Amino acid sequence: MRLVPVSLLALAVAACSSTPPVETAPVATEIQLLALNDLHGRLEAPEEVVPVTMADGSVIRVPAGGAAMLGGALKAYRTDNSMTVAAGDLIGATPLASALFLDEPTIEALDLMGLDYSALGNHEFDKGVPELLRIQNGGCEQFTARTPCALDGSFDGADFDYMGANVFLPDGTNLLPDAFVRDFGAVQVGIIGLPLVSVPGLVAPNLVDGLVFTDEAETANALVPSLLEAGADTIVLLIHQGARGVERWDDKGCEGLSGEILPIVERLDPAIAVVVSGHTHAAYTCRLPMADGAGERLLTSAGRYGAFFTDIRLAFAGEQLVATRADNVVVQGESFVGRDGEVVAASPRLPLFTPDPAVAALVERTLDKARPQMERVVGRLSGPAPDHPDDLESPAANLIADAQLAATRAADRGGAQLAFINGGGVRDALVPGPDGAVTFEQLFAVQPFGNTLMTVTLSGAELKALLEQQFVTADGRDRESHLIPSGNFTFAYDLSLPAGERVVSMRLDGVPIDPARDYRVTTNNFVANGGDGYSVFTRGRGRTGAGLDLDALVDWIAEGRAVPAVGRIDNRTPAR
C-alpha cells in the first residue's frame, strides 16, 4: 500500500496514456479505518470509566485507555486492508509526563501504533506554528520555554502526516498537506484532513498570526474533484469538530445528536462517505442523511484519551462503495480503585487486549524520567477542589483566579485589582492526598497550557462589555460560558434579557463598578489576546506580564489554602 499526495497523483494521472479498461467481474473488497481523536498525550491509563450496555440491557462499568493498551487493541483489530487515522488534538493539554518532553513521547507512541495521518486539532497549535512544524518534521530547535529532545537526545518527528486542508499561509499555500489518496490496489480511498475554522479563537491568537482558516465544508468540497480525478473511489473527511447530546455512546440511534459538526456535514459533497470527527470528547457512530436524498454517510467519534477507537469498514463491489459500518470499541484497561472505593475492573464479556510491548516500554521510560518532577509536593489544600464539567464556576476555577490576583497585585507585578480565569482553562479537579498534599503533577493537570499572566487596564464599561461576551459567540449565537473571577469580584446575569444587556450587576470589593473608571484586570495570555472569543481584552491598555500561570498557583498553595466556595457568579435567569 502507498500513500500519495493528491498534488503528485494529479501529475501522475496527467502523464498516463489512456488505455481501455479491461472488463472483469466485480471483486469484493473491504477497507478498514481505525480512527482515534483527542488523545491529548494520555500515555498512562487515564482511569476513565466507560458504561457499557450489554445485549440483555444490563450496564457494566469498565476501565478504559492507556497508550500501551490502545496500541495493543489497534494491533489486534487491524486487517490486511487497513489504515489508521485521527481527528486531531493528539497533543496539547497533555499530562505532565508527555508535556515535560514537548509531547515527543506521544508522537513516538502514535508512530508505534501505526497512525497514518491525522487532521490538525486546535491544540496542535498551542505552542505556535514553528513548534508544530518541528513536531511534524523533527529536530531539536527550541521554540518554547521547554528544552526539546530532552527524553532521548534527538527527535525524528512524526511518521504520520498531519493535515490542514483549510489552513493557509499568507502566500495562499497550505501550511500542511490537504489531502491524500490511499491506494489499496483494487480500490483507492481519498482522505481530507482539517481543523475547525475557529482555531484562532481557541488558542492565543498571536500563535496563529498570518494563518488563514477557511470554511470547513467549502474547503472539503473544493478538494473533491481533484481527489476523484486522482482515482479516489470514495472520500473520508477527518475533521476536528464534533457533536454531543447522544445519551449513550453505544446507542446507534443517535437520538439527541447536536453540535457544530452537523451543519458542516449537511453541506458536504455526496462523494464524502465518512466523517471522522472529534473536539467534543464524545463517542458516537451515527448515520446521517445526505442532501437531496443522495444516501447516508457515517459520522463517528472515539471519545477521548484513548478510551475508544472506531472500527470503520467500507465494502466495495469492484470500485463501487456498496456498504459502510462503524463500531466504537472500548479499549479495556487495567483495573483501578475509583474515588468511591469501588474497584473498576475489565470484563471478560468485552474484548480484552494485551498491551503493545514497544509502547509500554516507551511509556515506562518516559515516566521514569519525569517522575521526580511529577511527584514533588508543592502545597496543600483543605480538601478536593472540583472542576465544572461545563466550564462554569467551580472551586478549582476560583482557586486559580485567586492565585492569579495574588501574583499580580503588587505594583511592580501589574497592580491588578481583579482577575479572571476562563472556564476552559481549568482542565481537571484538584484532589489532594489524605494529608492535603498536592503534587506538581496534579497542578499541571489542572493548568497544562503553560500560559503567562497578563494585566491590562479596562474601563468599567469595557469590563461589562467583556462579561457580555460570555453569553454570545463571535457570530451572534447564544452561549453560556464563564470568566470566573477572583473572590473580590462578583457579577450577576439574566439570560432572558437581550444580548448585550445580560450582565445586571458587577461589584468589586462590594462596590458597584463605575463605567467611567479604569480597572487593572489580570488573565492568562490566551484570553488577553482574545482567546475563547473575549475580544474586549484586546482593547486593554498598559499591558504587563507576570510569569507563568502555573507558577502563580504553586506559590498560592505553597503554605496551604482552604478550598474556596462557589457563589461569585449569580445566575438570575427566571426559571421556565
Side-chain angles (χ1 to χ4, degrees):
M1 292 182 292
R2 50 196 177 91
L3 188 64
V4 185
V6 168
S7 57
L8 295 181
L9 259 174
L11 292 175
V13 169
C16 288
S17 61
S18 57
T19 303
V22 177
E23 292 191 13
T24 58
V27 177
T29 304
E30 183 180 74
I31 304 299
Q32 179 192 53
L33 306 178
L34 296 173
L36 324 170
N37 56 274
D38 295 276
L39 182 62
H40 288 290
R42 258 50 177 194
L43 297 174
E44 292 184 276
E47 296 192 351
E48 288 273 286
V49 179
V50 173
V52 184
T53 304
M54 306 304 292
D56 61 3
S58 63
V59 176
I60 60 174
R61 299 167 73 250
V62 299
M69 201 67 78
L70 176 60
L74 293 173
K75 185 181 294 184
Y77 263 71
R78 188 168 285 126
T79 67
D80 291 338
N81 286 333
S82 182
M83 56 184 168
T84 305
V85 301
D89 275 11
L90 304 176
I91 60 174
T94 52
L96 188 58
S98 181
L100 280 174
F101 306 108
L102 290 168
D103 291 324
E104 292 169 11
T106 296
I107 296 298
E108 185 177 345
L110 289 163
D111 287 344
L112 291 170
M113 291 180 203
L115 182 63
D116 291 306
Y117 34 83
S118 174
L120 291 169
N122 52 289
H123 281 291
E124 268 81 12
F125 291 91
D126 278 350
K127 294 180 175 61
V129 171
E131 176 64 7
L132 169 58
L133 294 178
R134 187 189 75 86
I135 288 293
Q136 176 70 85
N137 301 320
C140 297
E141 190 172 357
Q142 186 167 357
F143 300 108
T144 74
R146 295 197 184 279
T147 302
C149 302
L151 180 63
D152 294 324
S154 64
F155 178 62
D156 295 333
D159 291 342
F160 60 91
D161 286 288
Y162 268 121
M163 305 171 69
N166 62 336
V167 187
F168 295 92
L169 297 166
D171 64 3
T173 59
N174 281 103
L175 174 68
L176 287 167
D178 52 6
F180 293 91
V181 172
R182 185 66 173 259
D183 184 355
F184 287 94
V187 298
Q188 285 73 43
V189 178
I191 307 290
I192 301 170
L194 45 76
L196 67 174
V197 70
S198 55
V199 165
L202 297 172
V203 301
N206 59 296
L207 296 177
V208 292
D209 277 350
L211 295 182
V212 176
F213 292 78
T214 59
D215 181 85
E216 302 98 333
E218 290 178 6
T219 303
N221 289 342
L223 287 166
V224 167
S226 61
L227 285 166
L228 296 178
E229 183 182 356
D233 299 307
T234 193
I235 298 172
V236 175
L237 174 63
L238 315 176
I239 178 172
H240 192 71
Q241 181 56 282
R244 55 179 61 85
V246 178
E247 185 174 349
R248 297 196 338 260
W249 66 269
D250 47 3
D251 179 7
K252 293 189 177 183
C254 294
E255 190 78 25
L257 188 72
S258 63
E260 294 181 52
I261 190 67
L262 298 187
I264 297 172
V265 172
E266 289 171 359
R267 295 162 52 210
L268 292 176
D269 189 292
I272 300 173
V274 178
V275 178
V276 176
S277 66
H279 190 53
T280 59
H281 292 195
Y284 46 82
T285 55
C286 303
R287 289 188 176 277
L288 302 180
M290 296 187 190
D292 302 323
E296 293 182 327
R297 65 166 55 91
L298 285 176
L299 173 67
T300 73
S301 177
R304 64 178 187 176
Y305 305 162
F308 301 89
F309 68 88
T310 312
D311 180 16
I312 302 169
R313 304 296 177 103
L314 311 178
F316 293 83
E319 297 176 349
Q320 181 70 36
L321 179 66
V322 294
T324 62
R325 67 180 175 87
D327 297 287
N328 272 331
V329 179
V330 180
V331 180
Q332 289 202 92
E334 296 179 357
S335 302
F336 66 91
V337 178
R339 292 175 186 170
D340 57 2
E342 177 190 359
V343 176
V344 183
S347 170
R349 299 170 70 186
L350 297 170
L352 298 169
F353 304 107
T354 301
D356 183 287
V359 179
L362 167 67
V363 172
E364 191 57 36
R365 187 171 82 251
T366 302
L367 292 174
D368 284 346
K369 195 155 188 177
R371 198 163 279 119
Q373 179 79 331
M374 294 164 62
E375 295 177 351
R376 179 168 58 95
V377 174
V378 294
R380 281 177 163 74
L381 276 182
S382 62
D387 181 24
H388 195 289
D390 296 321
D391 296 336
L392 305 181
E393 186 189 3
S394 69
N398 289 349
L399 186 74
I400 293 169
D402 291 345
Q404 293 184 169
L405 176 59
T408 56
R409 232 176 180 163
D412 62 349
R413 299 279 293 173
Q417 296 165 275
L418 66 150
F420 291 108
I421 176 68
N422 56 313
V426 185
R427 303 301 287 195
D428 205 353
L430 194 52
V431 182
D435 60 351
V438 177
T439 65
F440 186 72
E441 180 183 19
Q442 290 176 300
L443 289 192
F444 188 89
V446 176
Q447 284 193 288
F449 299 111
N451 288 323
T452 57
L453 297 182
M454 299 191 73
T455 305
V456 304
T457 297
L458 296 174
S459 70
E462 288 171 325
L463 191 54
K464 183 178 187 300
L466 171 70
L467 294 182
E468 292 288 353
Q469 290 185 312
Q470 298 172 105
F471 310 116
V472 63
T473 63
D475 58 1
R477 291 178 291 109
D478 288 341
R479 68 171 180 177
E480 185 174 8
S481 179
H482 280 176
L483 281 172
I484 297 94
S486 50
N488 63 336
F489 183 85
T490 60
F491 69 89
Y493 65 94
D494 181 349
L495 294 178
S496 69
L497 298 175
E501 302 176 18
R502 291 167 177 165
V503 176
V504 296
S505 172
M506 299 183 297
R507 291 178 176 271
L508 179 64
D509 296 320
V511 178
I513 292 294
D514 181 349
R517 181 182 167 188
D518 283 345
Y519 298 88
R520 294 288 284 167
V521 185
T522 291
T523 190
N524 58 56
N525 64 300
F526 166 69
V527 177
N529 286 315
D532 273 354
Y534 295 116
S535 60
V536 170
F537 256 121
T538 65
R539 306 179 201 167
R541 303 168 296 283
R543 291 186 168 226
T544 57
L548 293 174
D549 55 1
L550 185 58
D551 290 345
L553 187 55
V554 170
D555 292 344
W556 182 242
I557 71 166
E559 297 180 3
R561 291 285 167 188
V563 176
V566 297
R568 302 171 187 185
I569 301 174
D570 183 10
N571 183 355
R572 297 183 185 173
T573 306
R576 293 181 180 178

